Amino acid sequence: MNEDVRLGLVVSGSLSEGVAVRLDSKASVEDVVVGRYVTIEGKSRRFLGMITDVKLDASDERMTFAPPDPGDTFSAEILSGTSAYGLLTVTPYLVIGGDSKAVVEGPQPVKTIPSHFSPVGLSSDSDIELVFGKEDDKRFWIGNPLDMETKLCLNLPELVKRSNGIFGKSGTGKTFLTRILLIGMLQKSACVNLVFDMHSEYGWEGSSEKGRKVKALKQLFPTKVSIFSLDEENARRRQVSTDFIVKIGYDEIEPEDMALLRQTLNLTDLAVEACFTLRKHFGRNWIKSTLEIDAGEESEELLKSLTIHESSFQSLKRGLGTITRLSFMQPHVEQRAVDFVLKYLQQGTNVVLEFGRYTDITAYILVANLLTRRIYSQYRDQTEKALAEDTKPPAPLVITIEEAHKFLNPEVASQTIFGTIAREMRKYNCTLLVIDQRPSGIDSEVMSQLGTKITCLLDNEKDIDSVLAGISGKNELKGVLAKLASKQQALVFGHAVPMPVAFSPREYGSRESYKDFTPAETSPREVEKNIDELWR
Amino acid sequence: MNETSQRLGEVIEASTTGFTAQCYELYDLPPLGSLVRTGDSTNGLFAVVCHAVTEGLEPGRKPIARGKDEPDEESIFQSNPQLSKLLRSEFSTLVVGHRKGGRILQYLPPQPARIHSFVHACTAEESKDFGRTFGFLNILLNAKIETPADELIAATLRIMGASYADPRPFLIGAGKELASLLGEDYGKLKAILERIKP
Ligand SMILES: Nc1ncnc2c1ncn2[C@@H]1O[C@H](COP(=O)(O)OP(=O)(O)OP(=O)(O)O)[C@@H](O)[C@H]1O
Ligand SMILES: [Mg+2]
């Protein structure tokens, strides 16, 4: 082992709790950080693990009561590294090498731990590359492991086989990370994306906290992305190159959609029940018909016959009023957005639906749920048909939603389409990318179905627990997660990575970064020209 | 071997763990903790002075006070020139290693010193040679002697350190060895470190 990177020796440990590494007196605890990768040279194989805790220890606790004088550098130098020393906890994840068979098979999960006194040092870039692979037509560079030069690459076709989550408290970089990941998926995953873009930041220019404008997907990949907008005015003002203005008909809303809005619209349970009754009674036009029910005697009779109580009816009417006041809602729409979304997706074009000024949660839940339900059922039919006829199934679809806990909380997760998608995994070639700052609000069963989780800093204990639930070495990773920087640092673990890694996501937003992200795309100037023409 | 190494006396009693030597000159004792040797540059013993006495030559016969009418202590010896022949100085040592075929080994030798072996004070060079490893500290720590081990070790290290232009690296190295030997006894370690601080 290179002396420069050597940290210490394994002195004790277990597979379940990680190994303790005693720091050499030359290595300072101040130079090692949790989340960093280390390589342990065992007798016959190498182990790769993560530093999950750092502590100071003394062989005789009396030292802590009578430490040497602060000015006594002589004693301090002698004691440090001998009687007083640093201890690292390292959680081993993978073994490399061993016999020739093992070399061919590559890194494998650990089933044992390195023996006593195995030397431990910082992992080299080549060790990391061996584990995560090099950038290629499937592997996408998402960032760099903490304090390392190596590129951390994710196998994207593998990633999108399951639903995934991006978490982190507000302002930690979820949106930036999602943009990066979407760009990767656009290029390397062979899937199409549908993004429900609540704050209009994925399709077109969003702004960073410093007020700087940040380009988004359509600007970087004009031919691969189309933007749908619910808010024409907003799109025009921002000069967004929009492909479709979305209007939703009242007759597209089903009682299930209302059930999901129960909390946000403050509906009573009975009011939700009334939706189902009214739908049955009036048919497709149930909302329009319901809104036309006035205070007359006839109406009273009708409600009575449907056993809908006056107060439930009023509650429902208020709720429906809120919805129908949204100006993208119309009694009936000829060109249904869902058909266009599907058409674009089938052509392999990624769709970003901007909400413009409709940033309140009601509009978001309503539209995302409504569209996804239809799209998913189409996907299911197509996949089943393809299976039956042995033809090519539709391209995998990844649906991105924010504020995921609103769709996937324990109360509604069993009923909503999003809960179904998360639970069915990729049965119908459709998975989710959920983004949330409050993962503890998401149903634990759904959380456990997420294949890969990428989490930025979380500080709420409940959120940390829910993100790490069910993963081995949870307690150790907790320490790593809690110590991430407040921006642009994240921990990724799960299905798509052979071991958890703390990393800094790629820089996004500078001129050079766009160039790096778009090796073979139309030049930005050309795009700007096209847009000018569009809004002329 | 360096010719200037001073001959101190002769072994008059020896065991596996140490020997006693009589000085050629009364009171010409090596300091407590100093490193001495027997033999030559190929074979011999290394020992640390751990105790010294000066007493009457004949066992059981105590010296008597003689200076009542003398103006100072010096005059006692001038008036009784036979005195320095009736008294003798002896020092005891702990064997801390040996030399075999030129190699220095820091553990007990297979045989004790022989009676009448000459005992030399180690030169600075010899002391540095011996001080390259610290195995001897463990022997000193575990010795069963009257002199407190921490006093003896501190004295030894101070004297050995003095052979270097900058004793600090040597003392730090020795200190680290002690720290690992005394992992469970911080009190003793601290006492020694206090006494050897440069
Ligand atoms: N990869 C990155 N490259 C450059 N800057 C970044 C990156 N990640 C985060 N930042 C900085 O951190 C700020 C916050 O990031 P972001 O908007 O993605 O947070 P968020 O987690 O989505 O917050 P919220 O929960 O409020 O939506 C950005 O405005 C940007 O300045
Ligand atoms: Mg955000």
Side-chain angles (χ1 to χ4, degrees):
Chain A
M1 184 170 292
N2 184 345
E3 281 302 311
D4 297 347
V5 296
R6 170 157 159 163
L7 292 174
L9 295 176
V10 171
V11 290
S12 68
S14 70
L15 186 55
S16 55
E17 280 163 22
V19 295
V21 174
R22 187 176 162 140
L23 275 188
D24 288 347
S25 51
K26 268 186 276 173
S28 163
V29 274
E30 296 177 13
D31 296 336
V32 291
V33 295
V34 291
R36 186 76 216 256
Y37 270 122
V38 295
T39 302
I40 307 174
E41 301 282 347
K43 285 210 181 69
S44 56
R45 55 198 71 198
R46 275 155 58 230
F47 293 75
L48 220 62
M50 187 194 274
I51 299 176
T52 47
D53 199 7
V54 183
K55 88 173 188 184
L56 293 171
D57 209 350
S59 52
D60 181 347
E61 67 172 23
R62 270 176 294 176
M63 186 176 328
T64 49
F65 304 126
D69 284 345
D72 185 356
T73 56
F74 177 70
S75 299
E77 191 174 338
I78 287 172
L79 295 176
S80 59
T82 53
S83 306
Y85 48 87
L87 266 189
L88 308 180
T89 306
V90 171
T91 307
Y93 285 104
L94 296 173
V95 280
I96 311 175
D99 51 17
S100 52
K101 183 166 155 262
V103 172
V104 174
E105 283 173 351
Q108 297 292 317
V110 283
K111 295 201 184 70
T112 182
I113 52 175
S115 50
H116 266 116
F117 315 127
S118 302
V120 180
L122 294 174
S123 295
S124 66
D125 287 343
S126 58
D127 282 344
I128 296 298
E129 205 175 88
L130 190 67
V131 171
F132 293 99
K134 273 196 171 78
E135 223 178 343
D136 58 20
D137 57 348
K138 289 191 173 137
R139 288 194 172 78
F140 177 72
W141 168 35
I142 58 163
N144 305 66
L146 289 192
D147 292 338
M148 297 192 77
E149 301 279 311
T150 341
K151 289 179 178 178
L152 174 66
C153 299
L154 285 189
N155 183 327
L156 291 185
E158 204 51 43
L159 180 85
V160 301
K161 281 184 181 166
R162 314 236 332 228
S163 289
N164 302 301
I166 292 182
F167 307 105
K169 62 175 194 160
S170 182
T172 48
K174 294 184 297 298
T175 299
F176 274 61
L177 191 54
T178 307
R179 269 196 213 107
I180 294 173
L181 210 55
L182 285 171
I183 289 177
M185 292 201 275
L186 232 68
Q187 295 175 315
K188 302 193 169 174
S189 73
C191 73
V192 279
N193 288 277
L194 169 58
V195 181
F196 290 106
D197 188 1
M198 186 170 191
H199 301 289
S200 309
E201 47 193 1
Y202 297 108
W204 204 254
E205 227 147 52
S207 52
S208 79
E209 274 178 6
K210 292 165 202 144
R212 186 165 49 110
K213 292 253 194 250
V214 187
K215 286 192 201 302
L217 299 182
K218 175 88 177 181
Q219 288 152 300
L220 300 177
F221 302 91
T223 57
K224 289 186 180 158
V225 180
S226 56
I227 295 186
F228 282 40
S229 178
L230 279 171
D231 186 351
E232 186 168 6
E233 226 175 277
N234 173 289
R236 181 180 298 276
R237 183 159 36 77
R238 287 167 49 235
Q239 302 245 304
V240 177
S241 162
T242 311
D243 298 82
F244 191 86
I245 303 294
V246 174
K247 303 279 179 211
I248 307 269
Y250 298 175
D251 52 359
E252 292 179 55
I253 298 178
E254 294 292 341
E256 288 84 357
D257 299 320
M258 298 303 292
L260 195 56
L261 288 169
R262 194 186 69 79
Q263 274 170 329
T264 38
L265 289 180
N266 209 5
L267 300 178
T268 62
D269 285 338
L270 287 174
V272 174
E273 233 171 79
C275 295
F276 289 88
T277 319
L278 289 163
R279 169 75 170 85
K280 214 166 168 187
H281 181 77
F282 288 123
R284 287 198 61 157
N285 277 320
W286 68 282
I287 292 190
K288 190 159 168 282
S289 309
T290 302
L291 289 170
E292 279 162 9
I293 297 176
D294 47 22
E297 215 167 282
E298 226 171 283
S299 314
E300 243 171 69
E301 284 295 310
L302 175 66
L303 289 180
K304 209 178 222 167
S305 71
L306 296 172
T307 61
I308 296 172
H309 200 269
E310 175 63 20
S311 63
S312 319
F313 179 67
Q314 288 308 333
S315 161
L316 176 60
K317 216 168 162 181
R318 268 195 305 277
L320 290 176
T322 309
I323 292 175
T324 50
R325 270 195 300 278
L326 295 167
S327 54
F328 59 82
M329 295 295 313
Q330 292 177 355
H332 179 72
V333 175
E334 281 306 324
Q335 291 198 319
R336 292 201 318 173
V338 65
D339 300 329
F340 281 83
V341 173
L342 271 167
K343 193 178 117 202
Y344 277 85
L345 292 178
Q346 266 155 13
Q347 288 165 357
T349 309
N350 300 277
V351 175
V352 177
L353 174 56
E354 287 197 339
F355 280 70
R357 83 187 108 116
Y358 304 107
T359 54
D360 81 270
I361 197 70
T362 308
Y364 192 67
I365 295 181
L366 178 70
V367 174
N369 193 52
L370 187 144
L371 290 180
T372 304
R373 190 153 35 74
R374 297 262 165 68
I375 289 165
Y376 182 71
S377 88
Q378 290 274 341
Y379 248 75
R380 194 180 49 205
D381 293 349
Q382 285 174 16
T383 316
E384 276 174 351
K385 193 160 158 241
L387 266 178
E389 296 170 4
D390 207 17
T391 52
K392 202 166 164 273
L397 169 64
V398 176
I399 300 178
T400 299
I401 47 167
E402 300 209 60
E403 304 281 345
H405 65 273
K406 300 279 186 192
F407 302 91
L408 295 167
N409 62 55
E411 227 172 281
V412 299
S414 58
Q415 304 152 28
T416 67
I417 184 61
F418 294 103
T420 310
I421 298 177
R423 266 178 279 113
E424 280 178 348
M425 312 234 280
R426 54 161 175 156
K427 211 156 126 200
Y428 299 115
N429 263 349
C430 178
T431 56
L432 298 179
L433 176 60
V434 300
I435 304 167
D436 207 319
Q437 50 175 305
R438 262 198 52 212
S440 62
I442 297 178
D443 184 43
S444 61
E445 201 205 319
V446 171
M447 284 299 277
S448 72
Q449 296 291 353
L450 297 181
T452 305
K453 295 175 192 149
I454 306 182
T455 174
C456 303
L457 180 68
L458 284 169
D459 50 12
N460 179 305
E461 192 73 16
K462 277 205 298 208
D463 289 331
I464 295 177
D465 278 335
S466 85
V467 165
L468 295 176
I471 123 162
S472 78
K474 173 179 172 188
N475 284 336
E476 289 72 29
L477 288 179
K478 232 174 171 172
V480 177
L481 175 50
K483 295 293 172 296
L484 291 174
S486 64
K487 259 190 192 117
Q488 213 179 341
Q489 275 193 5
L491 178 71
V492 52
F493 54 92
H495 184 68
V497 283
M499 61 181 172
V501 211
F503 70 102
S504 330
R506 278 167 83 168
E507 179 67 28
Y508 184 95
S510 65
R511 208 160 256 284
E512 303 85 77
S513 73
Y514 299 139
K515 230 181 272 160
D516 284 351
F517 279 114
T518 57
E521 286 298 318
T522 340
S523 79
R525 184 153 324 128
E526 222 169 294
V527 181
E528 268 155 37
K529 205 180 82 211
N530 295 343
I531 297 158
D532 284 348
E533 275 162 19
L534 180 78
W535 291 107
R536 194 163 299 151
Chain B
M1 180 114 322
N2 195 327
E3 283 311 313
T4 60
S5 72
Q6 181 199 354
R7 199 207 289 180
L8 299 165
E10 253 171 67
V11 174
I12 55 166
E13 199 183 328
S15 74
T16 303
T17 54
F19 57 77
T20 303
Q22 184 182 341
C23 293
Y24 288 128
E25 301 295 331
L26 185 64
Y27 296 129
D28 205 1
L29 291 162
L32 177 71
S34 59
L35 192 63
V36 299
R37 65 164 177 87
T38 66
D40 53 28
S41 57
T42 24
N43 294 303
L45 307 186
F46 286 98
V48 165
V49 176
C50 64
H51 192 70
V53 290
T54 296
E55 59 185 9
L57 206 49
E58 284 173 55
R61 264 187 66 181
K62 277 190 188 169
I64 49 172
R66 292 172 191 267
K68 188 153 188 284
D69 302 319
E70 303 288 354
D72 53 32
E73 292 177 14
E74 201 57 26
S75 323
I76 300 177
F77 285 86
Q78 277 159 12
S79 319
N80 304 278
Q82 79 287 6
L83 260 188
S84 51
K85 299 284 172 239
L86 293 176
L87 292 171
R88 60 175 176 182
S89 293
E90 287 175 19
F91 58 91
S92 311
T93 65
L94 274 172
V95 176
V96 289
H98 60 290
R99 201 171 348 220
K100 194 176 161 205
R103 273 179 63 207
I104 294 175
L105 303 166
Q106 295 197 346
Y107 53 84
L108 292 182
Q111 309 286 344
R114 298 165 79 146
I115 304 298
H116 299 303
S117 299
F118 292 161
V119 181
H120 297 260
C122 285
T123 63
E125 276 318 303
E126 286 170 327
S127 170
K128 278 191 211 168
D129 260 359
F130 186 76
R132 277 188 229 287
T133 54
F134 297 106
F136 67 94
L137 290 173
N138 191 41
I139 304 180
L140 292 180
L141 266 178
N142 293 313
K144 302 221 164 20
I145 47 169
E146 265 175 68
T147 319
D150 39 1
E151 286 293 343
L152 179 62
I153 290 172
T156 307
L157 292 176
R158 273 194 311 265
I159 293 172
M160 288 176 78
S163 8
Y164 299 85
D166 174 16
R168 192 175 162 108
F170 167 79
L171 292 173
I172 296 264
K176 288 205 179 267
E177 174 76 15
L178 284 170
S180 69
L181 291 171
L182 289 171
E184 242 94 276
D185 194 348
Y186 177 63
K188 196 174 218 164
L189 176 63
K190 193 163 184 246
I192 298 177
L193 296 188
E194 292 293 338
R195 286 166 172 73
I196 63 172
K197 220 184 281 179

